Amino acid sequence: MKRTKGKKAAILFLLPVIALWGCGTGTKIVKQQKTDIAMGTIIHQTIYVKDSQEQDLTEGVMEQIRMLEQEGLSRRLDTSELYAINSKAGSPEGIDVSEEMMELLKDIWSVSEASEGALDVTIGEVVQLWDIDSYAAGERTDFQLPKEEELKAALEDTGYERVAFKENRILLPENMKLDLGAVGKGITCGKLTEYLEQQKVEGAVISVGGSILTYGSKPDGTPWVVSIIDPENTSDNIGCLTLEGQWCVSTSGSYERYVEVDGVRYHHILNPATGYPSDSGVSSVTVLTKDGLLSDALSTACFVLGEDKGMELAEELDAYVLFVDKEGKLSMSEGMNKYFQAW
Ligand code: AMP
Ligand code: MG
């Protein structure tokens, strides 16, 4: 999952470990920081731990992310469970899946149902046909619009409602390919929450591409501040979220990965009904929830649904949502007001 051109070139650097004193507790708190690349995107971490914690937890976090990518979620790596599932599509007796993967798939399917297919991870063939990731990353330069008949054929291999689940097995129709790009970074944030808990971390903020996890608290007691990118001018922010404790924030935006041809932008968020980049009048959608998978799944679904239906869906699923439309107008669900401050 590659990001916009240029971002891939981000340098790997380690910031120094800084010692701080926990708010009135007398405990010495150490700050660990790291920027790295995994899942085809940039990972930024700031973690606060007691100084008795000798391990560099930013390394532990990277291990968790790489494990999830290599063993679970990657569509491209032949070591992953997702790759194995896709390679057995069409098997009449179904495909055995791990308990963990089954749980994730069921959660994803519940968002597909609630969004009436605006989120549909069965569109792998269509994603592959456009291959926007490779062009946006500069790995390919020969961009051409997919031919109508190719797109039609790829669309025929999709459809979340054509998939059956039986005990620990999934039945995928022949040629169907699952692509977890719309949910993978949020799933990662959920997984990292468990890891930070196990490691008894005091506080952390970790961004995995478009999904950001906040956890615990800072030693000075101030809240976490998460900036929201201006889709029209991506070096600027439109405002920020002020958060305390554990949250997951996911943003889907047409500025993240795209190819521009003759002034038309072909971005990476597809409308499963047409197979074309979604054109719902939205430039970006930010979703705030406690659950990582839900925030990432909803950011994609709400982007495809557009403002009115997206707002309804987020409210139905108890998530807060912020839309930026193509004219730069902001609109948010009621609960979001409490956390979001426009500049
Ligand atoms: P996100 O940036 O979270 O909105 O996810 C976008 C990624 O999810 C794309 O790069 C595709 O891999 C995949 N994708 C695109 N459109 C959809 C969709 N409507 N439903 C599910 N996955 C999608
Ligand atoms: Mg998403």
Side-chain angles (χ1 to χ4, degrees):
M1 291 174 279
K2 303 284 185 283
R3 311 296 284 188
T4 332
K5 278 180 204 172
K7 282 195 186 171
K8 201 180 164 225
I11 1 83
L12 253 68
F13 62 93
L14 267 169
L15 294 168
V17 167
I18 301 164
L20 301 150
W21 294 95
C23 228
T25 61
T27 317
K28 200 169 172 194
I29 305 292
V30 177
K31 177 163 147 179
Q32 302 178 336
Q33 286 189 302
K34 191 184 185 73
T35 296
D36 207 336
I37 290 174
M39 292 190 163
T41 194
I42 303 173
I43 319 282
H44 293 289
Q45 304 182 49
T46 298
I47 303 184
Y48 295 99
V49 288
K50 292 199 180 82
D51 76 340
S52 51
Q53 168 66 258
E54 282 165 10
Q55 199 190 343
D56 178 1
L57 289 185
T58 62
E59 277 300 328
V61 164
M62 288 314 300
E63 254 170 52
Q64 294 287 313
I65 296 175
R66 295 209 165 99
M67 205 158 61
L68 202 53
E69 179 184 22
Q70 288 161 13
E71 296 177 12
L73 308 179
S74 171
R75 174 169 61 88
R76 295 171 193 243
L77 298 176
D78 63 7
T79 48
S80 78
E81 183 171 4
L82 187 69
Y83 189 97
I85 292 173
N86 282 338
S87 64
K88 292 183 203 139
S91 147
E93 68 275 15
I95 308 150
D96 278 340
V97 294
S98 65
E99 220 174 286
E100 199 177 354
M101 179 64 90
M102 185 57 95
E103 212 176 291
L104 295 176
L105 292 175
K106 293 226 167 125
D107 286 347
I108 294 166
W109 254 250
S110 70
V111 180
S112 292
E113 277 156 18
S115 68
E116 294 178 348
L119 175 87
D120 189 341
V121 300
T122 69
I123 59 164
E125 283 282 280
V126 184
V127 171
Q128 218 166 306
L129 185 61
W130 283 94
D131 204 12
I132 300 283
D133 285 14
S134 300
Y135 293 107
E139 289 163 6
R140 288 182 69 181
T141 51
D142 55 333
F143 181 77
Q144 287 189 342
L145 278 181
K147 294 192 181 73
E148 279 296 327
E149 57 277 17
E150 286 174 332
L151 206 49
K152 199 165 161 252
L155 271 176
E156 275 167 14
D157 294 328
T158 71
Y160 73 98
E161 69 288 16
R162 297 172 57 220
V163 174
F165 295 97
K166 277 197 187 142
E167 291 156 14
N168 61 337
R169 279 171 299 141
I170 180 171
L171 281 104
L172 289 189
E174 207 171 352
N175 298 326
M176 184 178 272
K177 295 262 179 306
L178 305 184
D179 174 303
L180 298 184
V183 287
K185 294 171 189 117
I187 290 172
T188 306
C189 288
K191 190 86 187 152
L192 292 179
T193 305
E194 289 169 23
Y195 178 74
L196 298 175
E197 263 163 20
Q198 281 161 12
Q199 299 298 325
K200 302 198 170 32
V201 161
E202 297 288 311
V205 59
I206 302 176
S207 66
V208 185
S211 289
I212 299 169
L213 168 69
T214 65
Y215 177 87
S217 58
K218 285 194 226 168
D220 65 2
T222 58
W224 305 111
V225 177
V226 175
S227 301
I228 307 298
I229 289 176
D230 179 351
E232 288 309 307
N233 176 10
T234 54
S235 51
D236 249 347
N237 300 314
I238 51 165
C240 67
L241 295 168
T242 305
L243 304 170
E244 309 223 6
Q246 191 272 340
W247 286 97
C248 191
V249 182
S250 294
T251 299
S252 287
S254 53
Y255 61 86
E256 291 181 307
R257 277 169 278 163
Y258 63 86
V259 183
E260 224 152 44
V261 185
D262 299 333
V264 182
R265 181 180 291 192
Y266 298 97
H267 62 79
H268 70 303
I269 305 166
L270 305 174
N271 181 346
T274 63
Y276 279 89
S278 166
D279 189 16
S280 59
V282 169
S283 277
S284 85
V285 180
T286 297
V287 175
L288 173 67
T289 63
K290 297 280 176 184
D291 184 89
L293 184 152
L294 184 64
S295 76
D296 202 358
L298 272 181
S299 70
T300 309
C302 289
F303 191 103
V304 173
L305 288 174
E307 196 178 309
D308 294 348
K309 285 189 178 166
M311 200 82 86
E312 259 175 51
L313 176 68
E315 279 180 2
E316 183 190 322
L317 298 180
D318 292 327
Y320 305 132
V321 65
L322 166 74
F323 287 86
V324 184
D325 75 9
K326 283 186 176 170
E327 277 72 51
K329 182 176 74 65
L330 308 188
S331 47
M332 62 190 111
S333 62
E334 219 175 279
M336 193 62 133
N337 284 319
K338 203 173 135 199
Y339 302 98
F340 179 73
Q341 176 71 54
W343 294 143

